[in-house]
């Protein structure tokens, strides 16, 4: 009877949580029974159980009580899948998940879902393209090639696509692996004389996902096999998704024929994060951490400080936040800017910007093809004023100089003039695509 109650509760949860949340977090639960008003579930990992407890426990209890089963708490146990579980609870998405892990040899991270991906202007195209591919509809661009620097979200999107595909289309054969794993399997097949098995495995997939493809550059035999695998799948109209740390044409030692084919689909660049996007990422992570560290608050001043000082790598930003919460909980102190500076001194030193005001001024004047003396001088012509404001904005973003100090470097201007210029560019960035592209190009040039 308890299984019937759970079936009713699960149906109610689908309606209240929505199809995506249900398939990702409720459907994989295996109901093991009820003891002493405790509903027991088997979960694939401890992280999965913790996430469900933090986000859905109250709703599970409520819907189970509404369905007629009196429970006051839920319990999650990892690794009881080998025990005899109710057969009718073996959800398709869970079976697809097992199948995917067996084929791919690369474990998916349950943190990397579309729901957890913070979207901003630097990554909105990549996110939209990934969502389209994850729908598993007709192949519209092949391959999808995602590239960008370290910690900008490439692997997050790759994992999110895989999770979405296996949840929505358990009938299709998805393979996700790194380029290093592809090479390892290829070498192993050569050594064991099982090349036909290798070819059959990779040519039978419906979706092939290869992370960090730059790893195969310079490895001639692996590139040869990758080339033929790529062509075979494209000829069958099967979807290919690739990620790398740079554009196909910029990967040294990658064969021209492979680079050419990688560029024939949709190539999407994940741009460096903006200040606003980093703020959004931090807010999202803080909400998640506060469920694990109740009572610890982070003031807006600390969030803005972190978003300003740690700009190049989202992983470093998240790691800094993790350290802050752990430290504050262990020593029982409030998270302030002073605590942040003490606790993260090594990260902040490594993240200190090395760009100088003078370098920014030279780059901006060269970019807009004006004389440096005109940009720093008193002339207010638009052709000089706009580059001057762009340079001030970049000085604020990329250096630790104060507004008065920046003003002095720009012909002895007042700090309110600098503030006005910075705000003006911040406003234009969201409205004028040319300004956005100019700033992005200049930032890359200065940080490169």
């Amino acid at each position: 009877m308890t299984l019937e109650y759970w079936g009713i509760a699960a149906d109610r949860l689908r309606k209240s949580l929505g199809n995506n949340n249900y398939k990702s977090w409720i459907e994989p639960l295996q109901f093991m029974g009820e003891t002493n008003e405790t509903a027991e579930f088997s979960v694939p990992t401890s992280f999965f159980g913790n996430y469900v407890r933090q986000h859905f426990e109250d709703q599970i209890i409520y819907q189970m009580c509404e369905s007629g089963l009196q429970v006051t708490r839920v319990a999650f146990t990892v690794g009881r899948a080998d025990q005899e579980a109710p057969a009718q609870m073996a959800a398709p998405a869970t079976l697809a998940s097992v199948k995917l892990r067996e084929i791919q040899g690369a474990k998916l991270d349950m943190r990397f879902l579309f729901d957890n991906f913070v979207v901003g202007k630097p990554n909105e195209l990549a996110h939209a393209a990934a969502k389209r591919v994850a729908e598993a509809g007709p192949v519209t661009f092949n391959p999808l090639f995602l590239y960008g620097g370290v910690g900008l979200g490439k692997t997050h999107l790759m994992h999110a696509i895989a999770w979405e595909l296996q949840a929505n289309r358990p009938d299709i054969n998805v393979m996700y692996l790194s380029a290093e794993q592809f090479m390892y399997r290829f070498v192993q097949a050569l050594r064991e004389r099982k090349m036909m098995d290798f070819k059959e495995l990779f040519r039978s997939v419906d979706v092939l996902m290869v992370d960090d493809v730059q790893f195969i550059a310079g490895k001639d035999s692996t590139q040869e096999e990758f080339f033929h695998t790529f062509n075979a799948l494209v000829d069958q109209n099967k979807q290919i998704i690739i990620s790398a740390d740079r554009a196909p044409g910029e990967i040294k030692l990658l064969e021209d024929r492979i680079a050419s084919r990688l560029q024939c689909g949709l190539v999407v660049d994940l741009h460096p994060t903006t200040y606003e996007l980093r703020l959004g990422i931090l807010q999202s992570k803080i909400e998640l951490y506060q469920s694990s560290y109740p009572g610890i608050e982070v003031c807006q001043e600390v969030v803005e400080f972190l978003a300003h000082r740690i700009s190049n790598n989202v992983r470093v930003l998240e790691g800094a936040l993790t350290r802050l919460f752990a430290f504050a909980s262990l020593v029982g102190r409030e998270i302030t800017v002073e605590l942040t500076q003490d606790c993260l001194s090594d990260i902040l030193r490594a993240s200190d910007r090395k760009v100088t005001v003078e370098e920014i001024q030279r780059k901006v004047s060269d970019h807009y093809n004006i004389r440096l003396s005109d940009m720093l001088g008193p002339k207010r012509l638009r052709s000089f004023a706009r580059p001057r404001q762009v340079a001030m904005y970049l000085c604020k973003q990329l250096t630790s100089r104060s507004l008065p100090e920046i003003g002095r470097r720009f012909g002895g201007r007042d700090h309110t003039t600098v503030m006005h210029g910075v705000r003006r560019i911040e406003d234009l960035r969201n409205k004028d695509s040319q300004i956005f592209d100019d700033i992005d190009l200049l930032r890359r040039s200065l940080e490169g």
Side-chain angles (χ1 to χ4, degrees), residues 46-228:
S46 57
F47 174 84
F48 191 99
N50 289 335
Y51 189 93
V52 172
R53 184 187 304 281
Q54 293 165 10
H55 293 83
F56 306 115
E57 179 179 25
D58 291 342
Q59 296 176 69
I60 290 173
I61 292 173
Y62 173 77
Q63 296 298 353
M64 293 190 80
C65 290
E66 285 291 300
S67 67
L69 186 63
Q70 294 302 312
V71 297
T72 57
R73 62 184 298 270
V74 295
F76 300 106
T77 305
V78 179
R80 290 181 61 181
D82 55 329
Q83 296 185 14
E84 194 171 321
Q88 47 272 63
M89 292 308 296
T94 305
L95 295 178
S97 174
V98 174
K99 179 183 179 184
L100 180 63
R101 291 194 186 96
E102 287 177 351
I103 293 175
Q104 71 178 3
K107 186 177 180 181
L108 295 178
D109 193 324
M110 285 187 169
R111 296 172 300 168
F112 293 160
L113 305 171
F114 282 119
D115 290 343
N116 300 334
F117 190 83
V118 180
V119 183
K121 197 168 184 65
N123 58 28
E124 61 182 352
L125 177 57
H127 177 265
K131 288 284 286 185
R132 174 68 62 84
V133 169
E135 293 171 359
V139 178
T140 53
F141 33 79
N142 206 13
L144 170 61
F145 189 97
L146 305 172
Y147 77 95
V150 176
L152 296 183
K154 301 185 301 296
T155 299
H156 190 142
L157 285 177
M158 295 282 281
H159 283 227
I161 293 171
W163 282 120
E164 195 85 355
L165 284 170
Q166 70 179 23
N168 296 335
R169 290 291 306 277
D171 56 306
I172 65 174
N173 188 357
V174 180
M175 178 179 286
Y176 168 82
L177 75 172
S178 67
E180 182 181 12
Q181 288 171 319
F182 179 89
M183 187 190 73
Y184 172 77
R185 290 187 175 209
F186 171 66
V187 172
Q188 187 179 39
L190 283 175
R191 185 187 303 120
E192 298 176 0
R193 299 181 181 180
K194 294 182 178 179
M195 279 306 300
M196 291 308 298
D197 292 343
F198 176 89
K199 291 177 183 292
E200 183 179 350
L201 171 65
F202 279 88
R203 285 158 175 72
S204 64
V205 301
D206 297 302
V207 180
L208 176 63
M209 307 177 68
V210 181
D211 209 355
D212 291 324
V213 77
Q214 75 275 359
F215 186 82
I216 68 171
K219 301 171 176 64
D220 295 341
S221 298
T222 303
Q223 288 191 78
E224 178 82 17
E225 186 56 40
F226 180 81
F227 174 78
H228 293 306

Side-chain angles (χ1 to χ4, degrees), residues 297-358:
E297 300 292 332
V298 182
C299 66
Q300 187 63 25
E301 188 180 4
V302 170
V303 177
E304 293 173 357
F305 175 81
L306 290 174
H308 176 68
R309 291 292 301 273
I310 305 176
S311 61
N312 294 331
N313 192 320
V314 174
R315 290 197 191 108
V316 175
L317 192 64
E318 293 178 358
L321 197 61
T322 301
R323 187 192 296 187
L324 269 183
F325 269 94
F327 186 79
S329 68
L330 290 171
V331 300
R333 290 172 57 188
E334 179 185 0
I335 297 180
T336 62
V337 173
E338 291 74 19
L339 174 68
T340 301
Q341 290 173 324
D342 291 341
C343 181
L344 306 178
S345 58
D346 58 325
I347 295 177
L348 296 174
R349 278 197 304 272
S351 300
D352 276 345
R353 300 175 177 87
K354 308 301 181 184
V355 183
T356 65
V357 172
E358 291 75 16

Side-chain angles (χ1 to χ4, degrees), residues 2-29:
T2 55
L3 182 58
E4 295 178 10
Y5 291 133
W6 169 241
I8 297 171
D11 188 55
R12 290 172 179 267
L13 286 165
R14 182 196 295 272
K15 294 175 182 176
S16 64
L17 298 177
N19 206 44
N20 283 342
N21 275 331
Y22 177 83
K23 286 191 172 183
S24 297
W25 301 106
I26 304 301
E27 199 169 52
L29 297 176

